[in-house]
């Protein structure tokens, strides 16, 4: 008899907790992350603005895995780090970054190269960053190879081709495998109630 009573109390308790989390919005936030806040046009106001400064890191094109996790930007709450470096064919080098921010029922923050501006049926993810690379003393503009919306619980992703097709830059990792990437005009997103 006691075991049945305990199970009943346990089921009611768990149900009450889940219901409370669902009503408060915490359950949805826990499952879906920052997207919940960004999509709630009525509950949160978005303030976005450029982040001052230029941020750089060096990538080793001879050892792709050694680059994973290298931090480009960190303000204590928001971070941008290397997700992956890869090559398509023999010369199309690419770097992808992950942005991670913070979120709670009070709001969210995210620093990214993407500007997540609200539009009628959602929001954009326009890449607003100024990006350059320096290889063997030559500095050149690099171009976006892709970006995402807020596809992760805590942020988004974006990528760049490391060697532009319109420049005469030939990568020879036997001579020099290090390329430096610099980004400026990153975007701070601050969603507040």
């Amino acid at each position: 008899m006691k075991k049945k009573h305990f199970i009943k109390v346990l089921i009611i308790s768990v149900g009450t907790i889940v219901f409370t989390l669902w009503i408060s919005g915490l359950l949805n936030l826990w499952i879906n992350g920052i997207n919940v806040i960004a999509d709630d046009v009525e509950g949160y106001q978005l303030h976005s603005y450029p982040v001052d400064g230029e941020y750089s890191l060096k990538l080793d094109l001879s050892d792709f895995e050694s680059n994973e996790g290298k931090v480009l930007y960190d303000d204590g709450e928001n971070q941008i780090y290397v997700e992956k470096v890869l090559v398509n064919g023999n010369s199309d080098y690419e770097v992808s970054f992950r942005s991670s921010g913070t979120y709670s029922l009070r709001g969210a923050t995210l620093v990214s190269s993407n500007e997540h501006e609200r539009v009628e049926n959602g929001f954009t993810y326009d890449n607003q960053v100024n990006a350059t690379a320096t290889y063997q003393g030559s500095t050149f503009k690099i171009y976006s190879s892709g970006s995402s919306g807020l596809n992760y619980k805590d942020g988004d992703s974006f990528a760049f081709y490391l060697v532009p097709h319109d420049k005469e830059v030939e990568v020879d990792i036997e001579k020099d495998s290090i390329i430096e990437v610099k980004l400026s005009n990153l975007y701070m997103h601050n969603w507040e109630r």
Side-chain angles (χ1 to χ4, degrees):
M1 216 43 173
K2 287 184 179 184
K3 188 175 180 180
K4 284 184 180 181
H5 182 321
F6 174 75
I7 291 173
K8 244 188 213 180
V9 169
L10 182 63
I11 289 171
I12 290 170
S13 298
V14 169
T16 303
I17 291 169
V18 169
F19 180 74
T20 303
L21 290 174
W22 178 66
I23 289 294
S24 71
L26 277 173
L27 187 60
N28 190 20
L29 188 63
W30 180 68
I31 292 169
N32 296 306
I34 202 167
N35 217 0
V36 170
I37 301 218
D39 282 343
D40 187 353
V41 178
E42 301 295 321
Y44 298 91
Q45 186 174 23
L46 172 62
H47 304 282
S48 61
Y49 48 89
V51 175
D52 287 335
E54 187 174 66
Y55 303 91
S56 66
L57 56 73
K58 292 182 179 179
L59 302 172
D60 186 346
L61 299 180
S62 68
D63 183 3
F64 293 157
E65 288 181 12
S66 70
N67 301 301
E68 293 175 13
K70 283 185 177 178
V71 176
L72 175 80
Y73 176 90
D74 190 344
D75 66 10
E77 291 186 347
N78 304 283
Q79 193 176 70
I80 299 174
Y81 57 91
V82 175
E83 183 175 39
K84 186 175 282 259
V85 175
L86 56 99
V87 64
N88 297 312
N90 289 329
S91 61
D92 285 340
Y93 290 93
E94 200 172 337
V95 60
S96 67
F97 292 97
R98 265 276 283 119
S99 297
S100 66
T102 62
Y103 59 91
S104 70
L105 287 177
R106 291 186 311 273
T109 62
L110 179 69
V111 173
S112 175
S113 82
N114 301 322
E115 182 182 3
H116 297 284
E117 184 180 335
R118 288 193 172 144
V119 291
E120 189 163 326
N121 292 321
F123 47 91
T124 66
Y125 47 95
D126 296 329
N127 191 311
Q128 298 294 327
V129 77
N130 297 321
T132 61
T134 302
Y135 181 71
Q136 291 187 337
S138 179
T139 300
F140 42 88
K141 182 172 177 57
I142 57 176
Y143 300 95
S144 174
S145 62
S147 61
S148 76
L150 298 169
N151 294 354
Y152 300 90
K153 283 177 69 170
D154 65 349
D156 65 8
S157 64
F158 55 94
F160 293 94
Y161 293 113
L162 290 173
V163 182
H165 296 284
D166 64 346
K167 298 287 182 204
E168 293 296 322
V169 178
E170 201 170 309
V171 175
D172 183 352
I173 61 171
E174 297 297 321
K175 280 186 185 176
D176 188 1
S177 64
I178 305 299
I179 189 168
E180 183 177 20
V181 175
K182 289 184 183 176
L183 303 182
S184 61
N185 201 39
L186 295 170
Y187 249 75
M188 167 62 87
H189 302 80
N190 188 5
W191 290 272
E192 296 177 324
R193 282 199 173 276

